Amino acid sequence: MLVGDKSYQTVWMEESSVFMIQQNLLPFEFKIHECKTYWDTCMAITDMTVRGAGAIGAAAGYAMAQAFLMSRKKTKAITIREARADIEHTRPTAKNLFYAVERVYQAGLISPENALIEAQKVATQDARDSKKIGEYGSELINKKANILTHCNAGWLAFVDYGTALAPVYLAKRQGKKVFVYVDETRPRSQGGRLTAWELHNDNVPHVIIPDNAAASLMAEGKIDMVIVGADRIAANGDVANKIGTLEKAILAKEFGVPFFVAAPLSTFDKACKTGKDIPIEYRSPDEVLYQTGIDGNNNKVRVLVCSPGSDALNPAFDITPSKYITGIITEKGIIKAHHRAISKLLAENKV
Ligand code: MRU
């Protein structure tokens, strides 16, 4: 995607370093972060310098390749198995991370160079799949459409294009009149910070709304459809996505608004029979209790926004049961969130 007049991907690798857009500085600063070792890349995934299912998948694949490259040196202080465990412990929910690590690990057993080639393939495939999702998803968007999205499943959450936002970008390029309601997505505000920044950067008309505004907007008939991303999709079509997705899905059903999930096949996990099998990440209470931003002088500030002394609970994802989902937009087409449709799709594509 273009930032200014330069084309960027969210994460990439050059020589033995992984580079990424430093997402936890956005929207206030645009900077590139370099990870020289696999361990640096693990840290960047954990602290969400890079985040979003596809982007952390690509970063994790690169981290695995970095570990293989490091292991070639005589001074190696790690074993490949330890490195794999470290990478897999960074974040638990997005299937893409485990998918990428497995692919690069298997490739690296042949040679470190092979691991690197495979990691590049994972990243290239992520961007290509997102582009296809945009093409299929844009067919669902009418000439004039008000779309609600939650969290950030734009190009920042993948290597390029994005999933939930890819159809929006394409629909706009096709001349459709799209307007996006962006859920703020507390506590980390991926909507208010990242989705809004992306849409603004691409001149897509949009407005940020508080997380609790969706019901009244739907009741007023202001939302035509919802498109969200996914971090993991179970075999029965239950979807893990950013906390707050479930309530949007329930609302959409109540108000008769189509609710679509956009995700590549690398997000499906047939080992999870239902959403109950998907591990949900709990993050630090500080993300709820404190907010960060900039003051009038452009200085970074972190402020307490809750009652001092109270604790907070911070589940990062929730599970939306398949019954609330109108369809899943994949790089192979749009399917029902249904066990049979999913197993057919995965079998046809040898997943
Ligand atoms: O915690 P994050 O920001 O890594 O969350 C992942 C997400 O971006 C969302 O859940 C998204 O909607 C699906 S993944 C693109």
Side-chain angles (χ1 to χ4, degrees):
M1 277 287 180
L2 284 177
V3 180
D5 52 7
K6 202 168 166 208
S7 176
Y8 283 93
Q9 295 199 324
T10 304
V11 56
W12 69 95
M13 192 161 171
E14 285 171 26
E15 314 245 321
S16 58
S17 281
V18 177
F19 294 87
M20 56 188 63
I21 294 174
Q22 208 165 336
Q23 296 197 43
N24 45 18
L25 295 185
L26 285 172
F28 310 114
E29 254 182 281
F30 184 84
K31 261 188 162 173
I32 303 303
H33 178 69
E34 178 179 2
C35 302
K36 291 190 171 153
T37 66
Y38 94 87
W39 185 241
D40 293 341
T41 310
C42 285
M43 291 297 291
I45 297 172
T46 304
D47 73 10
M48 294 175 68
T49 299
V50 61
R51 39 64 52 202
I56 64 175
Y62 285 141
M64 196 70 252
Q66 282 180 306
F68 274 108
L69 293 172
M70 266 173 76
S71 75
R72 200 174 41 184
K73 297 188 180 147
K74 293 269 178 318
T75 54
K76 69 171 180 179
I78 49 132
T79 70
I80 285 301
R81 277 181 178 212
E82 282 165 350
R84 178 178 180 156
D86 288 340
I87 300 164
E88 291 188 333
H89 278 111
T90 52
R91 296 195 69 192
T93 304
K95 171 66 182 168
N96 306 59
L97 185 150
F98 301 90
Y99 163 87
V101 168
E102 169 64 11
R103 268 182 65 172
V104 179
Y105 180 82
Q106 293 302 337
L109 297 178
I110 297 167
S111 73
E113 289 70 26
N114 208 39
L116 188 51
I117 291 168
E118 193 65 18
Q120 298 288 15
K121 278 190 192 162
V122 168
T124 306
Q125 185 191 315
D126 180 86
R128 203 177 45 225
D129 292 347
S130 295
K131 189 164 186 241
K132 285 302 284 180
I133 286 171
E135 289 165 14
Y136 283 114
S138 69
E139 290 169 17
L140 297 167
I141 299 178
N142 290 334
K143 280 196 182 128
K144 189 171 179 301
N146 295 314
I147 301 164
L148 179 97
T149 192
H150 191 68
C151 192
N152 172 262
W155 66 268
L156 284 167
F158 290 83
V159 174
D160 208 347
Y161 300 99
T163 51
L165 293 188
V168 175
Y169 290 130
L170 187 56
K172 188 198 155 227
R173 277 175 200 132
Q174 291 165 341
K176 296 179 182 172
K177 281 195 168 18
V178 285
F179 185 87
V180 185
Y181 288 94
V182 179
D183 283 338
E184 182 190 15
T185 319
R186 281 275 284 149
R188 290 190 65 105
S189 299
Q190 287 95 330
R193 290 169 185 243
L194 304 177
T195 297
W197 180 82
E198 273 194 33
L199 294 173
H200 179 74
N201 185 54
D202 219 272
N203 292 315
V204 179
H206 67 281
V207 70
I208 300 165
I209 57 169
D211 286 325
N212 41 11
S216 69
L217 289 170
M218 286 188 195
E220 289 168 29
K222 290 198 169 136
I223 313 275
D224 300 316
M225 69 192 299
V226 180
I227 314 180
V228 299
D231 293 85
R232 199 183 290 226
I233 302 177
N236 72 339
D238 292 351
V239 166
N241 194 50
K242 182 55 56 193
I243 192 77
T245 303
L246 169 61
E247 62 191 59
K248 306 302 176 284
I250 296 170
L251 292 171
K253 186 147 190 126
E254 171 66 22
F255 291 108
V257 176
F259 183 94
F260 288 97
V261 171
L265 299 196
S266 48
T267 302
F268 287 74
D269 187 354
K270 58 186 180 191
C272 292
K273 288 203 172 84
T274 74
K276 289 202 177 84
D277 300 319
I278 300 177
I280 299 293
E281 176 181 20
Y282 278 72
R283 295 186 60 86
S284 164
D286 281 2
E287 293 183 351
V288 178
L289 301 172
Y290 294 86
Q291 286 287 283
T292 54
I294 52 167
D295 67 13
N297 298 319
N298 254 0
N299 294 318
K300 246 176 263 159
V301 286
R302 179 176 186 262
V303 289
L304 180 66
V305 293
C306 294
S307 176
S310 291
D311 202 358
L313 188 68
N314 188 12
F317 301 94
D318 58 27
I319 304 292
T320 298
S322 58
K323 67 178 178 183
Y324 295 113
I325 299 167
T326 312
I328 305 179
I329 310 163
T330 77
E331 71 275 27
K332 300 292 177 188
I334 301 165
I335 59 159
K336 290 247 174 277
H338 190 276
H339 188 275
R340 266 198 307 277
I342 291 172
S343 61
K344 182 166 174 279
L345 177 75
L346 298 184
E348 279 169 2
N349 291 284
K350 300 190 174 53
V351 178

